[in-house]
Amino acid sequence: MKYVTGLTCRECGETHPLVPQAACDECFGPLELAYDYPAIAAEISRDSIAAGPTSIWRYDKLLPSPNEGRIDLGAGWTPLREAPRLAAELGLKKLWLKFEGTNPTHSFKDRVVTVALSVARSLGYEVAACASTGNLANSVAAHAAASGMKSRVFIPVDLEAAKIAGTTVFGGDVIGVTGSYDDVNRLCTELASERRWAFVNVNFRPFYSEGSKTLAFEVVEQLGWRSPDAVVIPVASGSLLTKFAKGLEELTKVRLIEGEATALHGAQAQGCSPVATAFEQGATEVTPVKPRTIAKSLAIGNPGDGYHALKEVRSRDGSVTAVAEPRVAEGIKLLARTEGIFTETAGGVTVATLEQLVRDGRIAPDQETVALITGIGLKTIEALGEVRPTAIVRASVEEVTDVLGEE
Ligand SMILES: *Cc1c(COP(=O)(O)O)cnc(C)c1O
Ligand SMILES: [Zn+2]
């Protein structure tokens, strides 16, 4: 980890040695990785990045990158697609979709897991663990399997079937906990202090969260080293949004971009929208809620980085919006119908939020906008209700003609 100088507290600035620990000893603020940016700036360039691998590791100078033994299934370098048909439907001039479904386990969580577990293994950890709303479980179990680590994954029992199957298939231990994600997280925080397990999003959280910066790096690089005017980002714990902002700042610090103004907009579903509520009320602290939403991957009632996500959106002229529950499935279908992308519920929340932001005038028609579509729809087909063919016929031309009419 050539350019990492240690851990610093986001609140009080206290520095800590580089150990798996998420909170500051002095003030309990979140710990963050610190880098020697002048040294990075002297060595990094657009060309050196372009010559790197087509994965998040092309940005290894801005990540906690162990010198050897990375656990790498190829996370990142996902497509940034122009979305003219969805843009036209919403009334936008320029819209791009960052589609994370092409990651190894089909969500953006592969970015954070490859970072956290690479560091964990380099520190000699043998057990990979996490508290998950589903996608993280898939990714931790897969990366552990591919590296020979054991996995112990904790999930709320009522997750979507595909998210459970997409975890158990990798052969680790999958523990369903009766209760919400917030109960699972509390349990894992206790376990992390008792066992030498690498909980990617608990004790390894400072390393884990760095992986999210790569979404900002890729968006900027894929736009030709420009920062867009606005980005719509789904919010669960608020880590992705907070680190997307950190990623943009770092690109300026190492002089890869000039540092244009980019508004960040958070997206939540009404059934679990504590950050949106705090935003609307002008509050700085987030009041926890009990989640009741179809968007299970975003169902965190007590978001660990909610406070910081709020600060980021406010300082960047952004917002956090909650969309009504029925609009989640509508968002999924709108995206599929216009752009041929099948996203999960979190993507439905993002698309519905984007629609709302344009309608409310928070995103102007000529603002170049990027929406982060963070996961794939095959994992959450329950959200679409009962699914059946649009018609059923016998294998007969007449019956097809009956249904579809003459040409
Ligand atoms: C985890 C997750 C998010 C957001 O995560 P944060 O906890 O806010 O970092 C967004 N979309 C999907 C699909 C996720 O799995
Ligand atoms: Zn502190």
Side-chain angles (χ1 to χ4, degrees):
M1 294 191 235
K2 193 167 159 202
Y3 303 98
V4 176
T5 56
L7 288 172
T8 52
C9 174
R10 210 182 159 107
E11 299 301 332
C12 73
E14 188 72 27
T15 58
H16 291 66
L18 206 57
V19 294
Q21 179 181 336
C24 174
D25 294 323
E26 302 294 317
C27 76
F28 299 107
L31 296 179
E32 256 195 330
L33 288 200
Y35 297 82
D36 181 352
Y37 292 113
I40 299 172
E43 304 226 344
I44 206 167
S45 68
R46 295 176 181 184
D47 287 342
S48 72
I49 290 169
T54 50
S55 74
I56 70 157
W57 294 107
R58 66 204 278 110
Y59 310 106
D60 61 350
K61 292 188 177 69
L62 289 163
L63 294 170
S65 170
N67 298 333
E68 51 194 67
R70 262 179 216 157
I71 302 174
D72 182 8
L73 302 188
W77 204 241
T78 57
L80 181 75
R81 275 186 39 186
E82 202 159 1
R85 287 170 44 81
L86 179 59
E89 186 120 355
L90 300 180
L92 282 171
K93 294 214 178 81
K94 236 177 177 22
L95 173 63
W96 301 83
L97 304 171
K98 183 69 171 157
F99 182 49
E100 290 288 283
T102 62
N103 276 306
T105 70
H106 316 294
S107 86
F108 102 92
K109 290 298 198 298
D110 291 319
R111 296 175 184 274
V112 286
V113 169
T114 181
V115 174
L117 289 187
S118 293
V119 174
R121 195 168 63 165
S122 77
L123 296 177
Y125 279 74
E126 286 165 7
V127 178
C130 66
S132 176
T133 58
N135 285 315
L136 187 59
N138 295 172
S139 185
V140 165
H143 282 81
S147 67
M149 291 177 87
K150 288 198 179 73
S151 65
R152 305 258 152 81
V153 161
F154 294 80
I155 52 172
V157 269
D158 67 344
L159 275 194
E160 299 96 339
K163 284 189 179 156
I164 298 174
T167 308
T168 54
V169 71
F170 297 111
D173 294 311
V174 181
I175 313 296
V177 179
T178 53
S180 69
Y181 170 83
D182 300 287
D183 298 314
V184 177
N185 190 46
R186 208 165 344 97
L187 169 64
C188 289
T189 304
E190 279 178 49
L191 284 169
S193 66
E194 287 189 4
R195 315 245 174 156
R196 199 179 139 80
W197 297 349
F199 278 90
V200 296
N201 58 338
V202 182
N203 47 341
F204 276 79
R205 194 169 182 84
F207 303 96
Y208 159 100
S209 58
E210 289 293 289
S212 289
K213 296 186 313 192
T214 62
L215 258 169
F217 300 160
E218 286 181 22
V219 165
V220 167
E221 184 179 357
Q222 289 170 324
L223 284 175
W225 294 104
R226 283 187 300 114
S227 194
D229 297 320
V231 185
V232 185
I233 305 175
V235 171
S237 71
S239 174
L240 169 56
L241 191 148
T242 307
K243 296 299 164 172
F244 194 97
K246 185 181 181 194
L248 293 179
E249 279 156 28
E250 286 185 344
L251 291 179
T252 314
K253 280 189 189 153
V254 301
R255 300 195 293 272
L256 286 169
I257 56 171
E258 296 290 327
E260 301 104 275
T262 299
L264 301 184
H265 297 280
Q268 297 204 296
Q270 227 149 48
C272 182
S273 50
V275 187
T277 303
F279 178 79
E280 276 155 29
Q281 296 175 343
T284 51
E285 302 287 340
V286 175
T287 306
V289 300
K290 196 168 155 41
R292 249 183 230 96
T293 174
I294 194 172
K296 293 186 182 181
S297 53
L298 303 182
I300 298 184
N302 187 10
D305 295 299
Y307 170 83
H308 296 283
L310 275 174
K311 264 180 95 160
E312 291 298 345
V313 299
R314 286 192 174 123
S315 72
R316 295 173 163 273
D317 222 4
S319 64
V320 188
T321 296
V323 292
E325 290 290 323
R327 292 184 62 191
V328 178
E330 285 165 21
I332 293 174
K333 291 177 194 165
L334 173 61
L335 179 62
R337 174 165 68 70
T338 53
E339 295 295 340
I341 290 177
F342 186 16
T343 186
E344 70 147 79
T345 47
V349 170
T350 301
V351 171
T353 296
L354 172 62
E355 195 176 13
Q356 189 68 43
L357 290 168
V358 177
R359 200 179 300 162
D360 293 348
R362 279 208 161 119
I363 291 181
D366 59 353
Q367 281 196 303
E368 185 172 35
T369 302
V370 173
L372 304 186
I373 307 300
T374 45
I376 200 173
L378 289 174
K379 292 190 192 182
T380 64
I381 53 171
E382 293 89 343
L384 299 177
E386 198 191 335
V387 285
R388 51 186 138 73
T390 53
I392 294 176
V393 299
R394 272 176 299 210
S396 122
V397 171
E398 273 117 65
E399 290 205 16
V400 173
T401 306
D402 283 347
V403 171
L404 297 180
E406 298 281 356
E407 238 7 26

